[in-house]
Amino acid sequence: MFSNATGSPFATGTNPVSNATADLNGDGHLDLLFTNYISDNVSVLLGNGTGSFVAATPVPVTNGPREVEAADLDGDGDIDFLATNYSGNNVTVALNNGNATFTTSSVAVGTVPRGLAIGDLDGDGDIDFVAANYQSNTVSVMLNNGNAAFAQAVGSPVATGTRPVAVALADFDGDHDVDIAVTSNNTNNVSICSTTAPALLLRRRPQPPELVLGALRRAISTAMAITTWLLRISVPIRFRSS
């Protein structure tokens, strides 16, 4: 059973569309980000750890923000965010100054970007992103240089079905590369964009820790079994005096 927290509902901008959660000011409490489609900004609500929030200064973006994702984009330990701008044909890159205020720039993508997904696409340890371009019928694959400067990957933009909306990233074919799933609402289907070669879009990423540990356990188990078998079949060594 649920009930409203103290102060809920909390005010945002005009026509909020999507949200993301992260600790934006480093106090150990979860905060909230909301894209406001009509007021062309992102609301920042700072949590106090009890379910209540205080509004910080909204972050201006370009026209018609839709999706928002939060992550440390420049490797400085603060949580930044990205927002697709539906009418601006770009993605806002908002870098945290360390106190939940942000310095913004933008990077061009396709026409009418909507969906957004983040992850390490090229295995270099930096957060990259994929934007679904609703009017272009493509996804833009944007690689981070480590300082939150983004550039199109080789082979990007990638064609999808008609009117792509939402994006998800995962290893769909089991080759340990990150692939892309995109829903297309005019063709009623999902496009799966698999990595075809390391030079095309993505590089091979390291195996997840659980796979490495599993392989190590299997190797140890095999070595122990071989040792036990050898001990069983070994001929005893006898010594005799000269």
Side-chain angles (χ1 to χ4, degrees):
M1 182 176 179
F2 295 88
S3 60
N4 276 301
T6 302
S8 177
F10 301 96
T12 63
T14 307
N15 282 28
V17 176
S18 68
N19 61 70
T21 61
D23 181 5
L24 300 174
N25 57 358
D27 64 355
H29 304 312
L30 284 177
D31 310 308
L32 290 166
L33 296 167
F34 293 90
T35 55
N36 301 307
Y37 183 69
I38 297 300
S39 50
D40 294 332
N41 58 19
V42 173
S43 294
V44 179
L45 300 182
L46 301 180
N48 64 6
T50 66
S52 293
F53 294 84
V54 175
T57 303
V59 183
V61 296
T62 54
N63 297 341
R66 296 294 299 244
E67 298 297 322
V68 62
E69 293 281 357
D72 182 5
L73 302 174
D74 54 3
D76 65 352
D78 302 319
I79 301 299
D80 315 302
F81 72 83
L82 298 166
T84 54
N85 293 299
Y86 188 81
S87 303
N89 301 329
N90 59 33
V91 171
T92 292
V93 180
L95 300 182
N96 196 333
N97 299 316
N99 57 358
T101 64
F102 296 84
T103 301
T104 63
S105 60
S106 62
V107 56
V109 289
T111 308
V112 188
R114 288 187 60 170
L116 180 67
I118 61 174
D120 183 6
L121 299 172
D122 55 1
D124 64 355
D126 304 318
I127 298 297
D128 312 305
F129 74 84
V130 177
N133 303 309
Y134 187 74
Q135 192 68 43
S136 304
N137 301 326
T138 60
V139 290
S140 295
V141 180
M142 309 298 294
L143 302 181
N144 188 346
N145 72 351
N147 297 315
F150 294 87
Q152 294 266 3
V154 176
S156 176
V158 184
T160 65
T162 306
R163 302 294 182 261
V165 176
V167 188
L169 304 179
D171 179 11
F172 297 114
D173 53 9
D175 65 353
H176 308 301
D177 295 320
V178 180
D179 308 307
I180 304 167
V182 192
T183 56
S184 299
N185 68 4
N186 272 30
T187 45
N188 301 323
N189 57 23
V190 176
S191 297
I192 304 296
C193 304
S194 297
T195 306
T196 57
L200 176 62
L201 288 176
L202 316 174
R203 293 200 302 270
R204 185 168 296 278
R205 62 180 179 177
Q207 288 190 343
E210 61 269 21
L211 294 182
V212 175
L213 289 175
L216 181 60
R217 292 190 188 101
R218 289 192 294 273
I220 293 172
S221 178
T222 300
M224 291 177 66
I226 292 172
T227 301
T228 301
W229 178 75
L230 288 173
L231 289 173
R232 287 177 179 172
I233 67 171
S234 295
V235 177
I237 299 175
R238 293 183 175 88
F239 295 90
R240 62 180 180 180
S241 60
S242 55

